[in-house]
Amino acid sequence: MIPTYQEADNIGRLLASIRGYCPDLEIIVCDDNSPDGTGELAEAAADELGGIEVLHRPGKAGLGAAYRHGFRHALDRGFDVIGQMDADFSHDPSVLPRLLDAVDRGADVAVGSRYVPGGSVPNWTWSRRKLSLWGNAYARALLKLRLRDATTAFRMYRASALEAIDIDGTTANGYLFQIETGYRISAHDELAVTELPITFVDRVEGASKMAVVQTMVETELRVTWWGIVLRAPQLTAVLRRTPPGRFLESRVRPTPPPTTS
């Protein structure tokens, strides 16, 4: 499942590349009414390549919203294994068979990771790499994550794992969505998680849609709040009843870790 917005420069080549590496893979493109015609180009590729469905959403509503829509659609279609990846070639389609193989060998969640041995981000600056490593380490420590790379969007799930973490109940609506799903995965000890090394390459065509400062602030705030909720639920329950607590909750919508059974 590939969420898209303004990816006209990449979508046709990406779909052809995926089809080349995985001839039998069904592909769902979830497009947020891209003004550059991404959805229409995906439809043209679907006609040519087959096995591609394009979901046309009414407008840009956030990455998390697109993921929830696409995942629910795939679950309702009855797929046993559902993956996600970016549309800008930062995720190499040649890795898809390895992720699928990891699920075939028993993983409930297979993650394409930059931060396990063999993973890399070759064209990042030193400062950007350190910032990403620090952010992942901070989230991992506060939320007791089992993923070394909690912000990667290159993953393969068993359908049962998505249902177990209540994918429809996620609330993050930006790039924080990856941390939230990692948080929920980590709360389920019975889910087997495998991380495979990948080389992450920044986009060559098109422009990034991420507002860096806003994303960093939102991520820091919500990860900190979730960490407090995880460690001191009674304290946060009291705090939510105060005016500052109600304001904070309205801004970050804390998601308690899902219960396991």
Side-chain angles (χ1 to χ4, degrees):
M1 196 277 291
I2 307 169
T4 58
Y5 184 74
Q6 300 278 66
E7 293 291 353
D9 294 330
N10 295 307
I11 191 63
R13 292 185 301 114
L14 177 68
L15 295 174
S17 181
I18 293 171
R19 180 60 69 242
Y21 287 109
C22 300
D24 299 323
L25 202 65
E26 292 284 328
I27 306 170
I28 297 173
V29 176
C30 193
D31 185 65
D32 274 4
N33 196 23
S34 299
D36 67 353
T38 299
E40 290 72 19
L41 290 170
E43 291 282 8
D47 291 339
E48 178 183 351
L49 300 170
I52 299 171
E53 182 179 7
V54 185
L55 307 180
H56 296 277
R57 289 163 50 80
K60 193 172 188 293
L63 192 59
Y67 275 123
R68 281 185 286 274
H69 185 167
F71 280 137
R72 175 43 55 194
H73 183 81
L75 287 165
D76 288 346
R77 283 192 58 187
F79 291 114
D80 296 316
V81 180
I82 302 167
Q84 63 175 93
M85 68 185 299
D86 289 343
D88 61 2
F89 280 98
S90 56
H91 299 145
D92 185 350
S94 70
V95 177
L96 285 168
R98 290 171 49 212
L99 293 174
L100 288 165
D101 181 64
V103 174
D104 286 343
R105 288 186 286 107
D108 294 298
V109 185
V111 178
S113 176
R114 298 161 292 183
Y115 301 131
V116 294
S120 64
V121 280
N123 57 346
W124 277 12
T125 63
W126 179 88
S127 59
R128 183 177 177 186
R129 187 178 296 110
K130 290 300 180 184
L131 182 63
S132 178
L133 283 167
W134 180 88
N136 270 278
Y138 183 74
R140 192 164 58 249
L142 259 67
L143 303 180
K144 302 179 182 180
L145 302 181
R146 291 191 284 141
L147 283 67
R148 297 289 304 175
D149 191 347
T151 55
T152 180
F154 203 9
R155 300 178 184 176
M156 200 70 66
Y157 296 89
R158 290 187 190 275
S160 56
L162 287 173
E163 295 286 20
I165 67 173
D166 184 20
I167 194 66
D168 300 305
T170 55
T171 60
N173 212 29
Y175 286 79
L176 184 64
F177 178 83
Q178 313 307 340
I179 294 180
E180 183 177 10
T181 50
Y183 177 25
R184 287 167 174 252
I185 290 165
S186 299
H188 285 268
D189 293 335
E190 75 277 11
L191 294 179
V193 181
T194 298
E195 288 189 84
L196 305 176
I198 62 168
T199 298
F200 181 93
V201 181
D202 268 341
R203 67 166 60 241
V204 176
E205 302 290 345
S208 173
K209 275 73 74 176
M210 183 172 68
V212 176
V213 175
Q214 179 182 341
T215 299
M216 289 175 58
V217 171
E218 179 195 15
T219 300
E220 184 98 6
L221 181 62
R222 293 188 69 172
V223 166
T224 301
W225 180 238
W226 286 341
I228 297 171
V229 170
L230 181 63
R231 286 169 169 75
Q234 292 180 333
L235 174 63
T236 53
V238 172
L239 178 60
R240 288 191 197 106
R241 292 195 291 268
T242 67
R246 288 195 295 271
F247 172 77
L248 180 63
E249 186 171 14
S250 71
R251 295 302 299 262
V252 301
R253 298 192 301 276
T255 301
T259 57
T260 57
S261 58

